[in-house]
């Protein structure tokens, strides 16, 4: 059951959606038969992440909220689904709902301790909440996004919150790049995005986040836009840059 769910998560990161859907159906069916509420909630949360990366923000919101209704209160699945709800509200451009959800998330995370295996996907790592908050603020276009994202990236790169988490740091660079773009600082935004795209650590489910910065730089006719577009094409094997806003 958990193996099917983890496989679905990996397949979503690779954007192999039909195969991921088959794995999710298997995990959801087994969770239903065994009455395992947390696994059932993780299935819904995982699907919410998939449709969020594919640009269906309304469906992502509905799935994240459904996951919270199914999950045991205070469980890792419940907390992660709350975080996904906040990101969906941000993508929908709803600041009040976004901040209300983030406040709920912070109250859930505050009493938590770092788990023995913080890298375990299904055990919520409190340090992850900072990265999720940074992403959500950047997607919302909140003025606090730039300084907050800088702080998160600095902590990830210094490993002060635990062992190095290079993929999380790459995502943090894209968060900061988007915030810098909103703050009209295209030079640094382009530098960070290029570093993320050429790191070898960016998974396909995050390509669109780099594409947003590339599209924003092109709209501003920034000198570095052409180099970034070429780097994006090499990263995606010729895929067209898409804007998910």
């Amino acid at each position: 059951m958990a193996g099917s769910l983890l496989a679905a998560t990996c397949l979503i990161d690779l954007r192999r959606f039909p195969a991921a859907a088959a794995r999710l159906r298997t995990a959801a069916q087994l969770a239903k038969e065994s009455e395992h509420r947390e696994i059932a909630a993780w299935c819904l949360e995982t699907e919410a992440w998939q449709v969020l990366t594919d640009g269906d923000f309304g469906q992502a919101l509905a799935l994240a909220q459904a996951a919270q209704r199914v999950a045991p209160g205070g469980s890792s699945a419940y907390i992660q689904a709350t975080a996904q709800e906040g990101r969906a509200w941000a993508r929908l451009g709803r600041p009040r709902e976004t901040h209300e959800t983030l406040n709920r998330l912070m109250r859930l995370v505050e009493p938590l301790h770092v788990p023995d295996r913080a890298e375990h996907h299904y055990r919520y790592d409190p340090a992850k909440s900072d990265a999720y908050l940074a992403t959500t603020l950047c997607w919302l276009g909140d003025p606090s996004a730039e300084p907050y994202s800088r702080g998160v990236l600095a902590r990830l790169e210094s490993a002060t919150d635990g062992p190095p988490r290079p993929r999380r740091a790459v995502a943090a660079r894209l968060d900061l790049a988007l915030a810098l773009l909103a703050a009209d600082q295209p030079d640094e935004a382009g530098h960070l995005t290029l570093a993320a795209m050429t790191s070898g650590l960016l998974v396909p489910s995050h390509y669109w986040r780099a594409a947003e910065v590339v599209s924003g730089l092109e709209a501003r006719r920034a000198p570095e836009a052409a180099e970034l577009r070429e780097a994006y094409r090499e990263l995606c094997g010729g895929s067209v840059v898409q804007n998910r806003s």
Side-chain angles (χ1 to χ4, degrees), residues 45-82:
E45 187 278 333
T46 301
E47 189 176 356
W49 164 239
Q50 174 182 328
V51 297
L52 186 72
T53 66
D54 208 34
D56 192 344
F57 308 130
Q59 180 67 359
L61 175 65
L63 287 164
Q65 291 174 334
Q68 291 169 69
R69 290 193 294 270
V70 171
S75 64
S76 290
Y78 186 90
I79 297 171
Q80 182 68 10
T82 304

Side-chain angles (χ1 to χ4, degrees), residues 40-170:
W42 274 116
C43 290
L44 290 165
E45 187 278 333
T46 301
E47 189 176 356
W49 164 239
Q50 174 182 328
V51 297
L52 186 72
T53 66
D54 208 34
D56 192 344
F57 308 130
Q59 180 67 359
L61 175 65
L63 287 164
Q65 291 174 334
Q68 291 169 69
R69 290 193 294 270
V70 171
S75 64
S76 290
Y78 186 90
I79 297 171
Q80 182 68 10
T82 304
Q84 291 292 15
E85 179 187 349
R87 298 207 290 186
W89 280 125
R91 298 301 297 187
L92 289 166
R94 302 283 288 274
R96 180 178 64 81
E97 291 87 346
T98 301
H99 284 289
E100 287 175 353
T101 306
L102 290 177
N103 288 336
R104 284 195 286 117
L105 177 63
M106 292 302 104
R107 288 194 296 271
L108 289 166
V109 171
E110 186 177 8
L112 297 181
H113 299 288
V114 177
D116 293 337
R117 296 174 58 195
E119 75 280 4
H120 194 303
H121 186 72
Y122 301 114
R123 293 180 185 170
Y124 195 85
D125 173 12
K128 186 189 295 185
S129 64
D130 282 344
Y132 269 74
L133 180 56
T135 299
T136 305
L137 292 173
C138 290
W139 288 356
L140 186 62
D142 191 282
S144 65
E146 182 195 341
Y148 196 89
S149 297
R150 284 191 188 279
V152 169
L153 180 57
R155 289 194 296 275
L156 286 170
E157 291 183 329
S158 66
T160 56
D161 288 333
R165 295 182 175 89
R167 291 193 187 279
R168 206 176 287 180
V170 167

Side-chain angles (χ1 to χ4, degrees), residues 205-225:
S205 62
H206 285 285
Y207 288 175
W208 66 277
R209 297 176 66 178
E212 280 197 317
V213 184
V214 176
S215 296
L217 288 167
E218 288 180 328
R220 288 165 174 77
R221 300 184 184 278
E224 52 271 87

